Amino acid sequence: MKLGMVGLGRMGANLVRRLMRDGHQCVVHDLNEETVRELAREGAIGATSLEDLVAKLDKPRAVWLMLPAAVVQPTLDELVPLLEPDDTVIDGGNSFYRDDMARAKRLAALQLHYVDCGTSGGVWGLDRGYCLMIGGEGAAVRRLDPVFRTIAPGRGSAEPTPSRTRNGTAPDGYLHCGPSGAGHFVKMVHNGVEYGMMGAIAEGLSIIRHANVGKKGRAIDAETAPLRDPEAYQYDIDVAEVAEVWRRGSVVGSWLVDLIADALARSPQLDGFEGRVSDSGEGRWTVDAAIDESVPAPVITSALIERFESRGLGQFTDAALSAMRSEFGGHAEKRG
């Protein structure tokens, strides 16, 4: 199948490479001309503009956007007038699912198809494959099945689920979740879950790292809570080795544990990381959806708030707390 790819960043370029490995033709465009030239040397068809990309695609065309959420709408504004009835646009980034619903409606009025495709796999997806969560009308999704099947990991990527008797594509690593927006809704929650899992693993390793606190001197004053049983915290545990052993047979063993084990093997103190953790929107949207649905989601919510804290956004809150303690109790702020 011939596919246009707009956006050749960390994931877009590897999506193209994975597609070409399986015999698909890809027409590629990016603002970074060198990236376009690099993929052209590997067998892709380079395009100098969106107009050039559309001209080089077979009808009915399929154009995949792999762009930051904020760039999708301006790109659609430029792309849509170049398309013809029965062409399809796939948004493979992390757009807000409600934007997908509105965009699909607008494109349908022009007889164009819009498919939202949540794509998970990160920088490792070229070899591991990408988990795909898809939304859109059935006919458009079915037409793109050869593309999804190539991009997804395939059945050999995980052990079969013992009790599963249903047919479907989920064991292949891609799923048509429902109408417009459903794919990005599932991917949104996926990323919220990711926040919670990452937070729990990081917190657990940090507790283990500080299991020697009983060996350290502790101030004795009115501003410092005493350590009740210092003898219970005398362990110098190698956190990197803990992460390594958790990879084998552990209930919490996972790809995330694999990744942190590798990071700790390279740098046991995680030198080079300041602990400033960004959030790109999906965690916030997941919490919003949980509130709208009245579904308790304390773990995901807490993980999101912790990311805010990591960026120093709670500094004024802390200053206000310190000021109140000073005002009502005369507690001097302890420094250092």
Side-chain angles (χ1 to χ4, degrees):
M1 187 171 181
K2 200 169 188 178
L3 179 79
M5 180 68 69
V6 180
L8 305 174
R10 288 174 296 179
M11 292 177 68
N14 280 345
L15 284 169
V16 169
R17 292 185 175 102
R18 190 167 174 90
L19 285 162
M20 290 194 300
R21 282 181 182 179
D22 202 33
H24 298 276
Q25 286 186 301
C26 293
V27 183
V28 300
H29 175 62
D30 192 275
L31 295 178
N32 187 330
E33 296 178 0
E34 178 52 37
T35 304
V36 175
R37 287 192 290 268
E38 180 182 344
L39 282 170
R41 287 191 291 269
E42 297 178 30
I45 301 168
T48 58
S49 65
L50 291 179
E51 185 174 8
D52 187 31
L53 178 136
V54 169
K56 290 176 176 176
L57 290 171
D58 299 333
K59 300 178 184 179
R61 305 174 185 89
V63 181
W64 186 301
L65 306 182
M66 204 64 191
L67 300 166
V71 184
V72 172
Q73 190 56 53
T75 304
L76 281 173
D77 292 342
E78 183 180 350
L79 174 65
V80 168
L82 304 173
L83 300 177
E84 299 177 8
D86 211 26
D87 290 349
T88 302
V89 177
I90 308 104
D91 180 359
N94 282 325
S95 292
F96 186 34
Y97 77 98
R98 297 191 186 187
D99 291 339
D100 294 318
M101 295 167 66
R103 288 165 182 161
K105 188 175 181 179
R106 286 197 295 269
L107 266 64
L110 300 172
Q111 299 179 54
L112 299 172
H113 308 288
Y114 183 89
V115 172
D116 52 284
C117 182
T119 309
S120 181
V123 297
W124 300 92
L126 174 60
D127 295 316
R128 288 171 54 98
Y130 298 86
C131 176
L132 304 177
M133 295 143 272
I134 306 159
E137 56 185 300
V141 172
R142 285 190 294 273
R143 180 189 295 172
L144 293 164
D145 188 79
V147 168
F148 298 139
R149 187 170 292 275
T150 288
I151 293 172
R155 299 208 172 207
S157 61
E159 291 294 322
T161 301
S163 301
R164 182 180 173 88
T165 58
R166 300 170 59 185
N167 294 321
T169 62
D172 295 291
Y174 67 104
L175 177 68
H176 182 201
C177 300
S180 296
H184 276 153
F185 185 91
V186 174
K187 178 56 161 54
M188 171 188 80
V189 178
H190 165 283
N191 284 22
V193 171
E194 180 183 292
Y195 283 25
M197 292 174 67
M198 291 172 67
I201 292 166
E203 289 174 11
L205 292 175
S206 186
I207 293 168
I208 290 169
R209 184 173 186 269
H210 291 91
N212 62 356
V213 68
K215 293 184 175 182
K216 299 178 180 179
R218 199 173 181 91
I220 302 176
D221 56 41
E223 304 304 317
T224 305
L227 182 61
R228 180 176 175 179
D229 297 307
E231 65 277 7
Y233 299 96
Q234 300 285 321
Y235 303 117
D236 293 307
I237 301 173
D238 189 327
V239 175
E241 290 298 275
V242 170
E244 186 64 31
V245 77
W246 279 0
R247 296 182 60 217
R248 292 167 170 79
S250 165
V251 172
V252 301
S254 62
W255 189 38
L256 289 172
V257 172
D258 293 346
L259 294 174
I260 190 59
D262 193 51
L264 288 165
R266 294 194 305 271
S267 176
Q269 303 304 318
L270 298 179
D271 299 321
F273 293 95
E274 296 180 0
R276 184 181 176 88
V277 188
S278 298
D279 72 289
S280 55
E282 298 86 359
R284 302 180 189 217
W285 303 335
T286 301
V287 172
D288 287 344
I291 292 170
D292 288 345
E293 297 173 0
S294 299
V295 172
V299 173
I300 295 173
T301 303
S302 177
L304 173 65
I305 300 303
E306 173 55 31
R307 293 194 176 202
F308 299 161
E309 183 65 40
S310 78
R311 305 200 295 271
L313 299 177
Q315 185 174 1
F316 185 81
T317 304
D318 295 339
L321 286 170
S322 186
M324 283 186 278
R325 288 189 84 242
S326 175
E327 291 296 320
F328 72 69
H331 299 280
E333 186 173 74
K334 191 170 181 178
R335 305 296 176 95

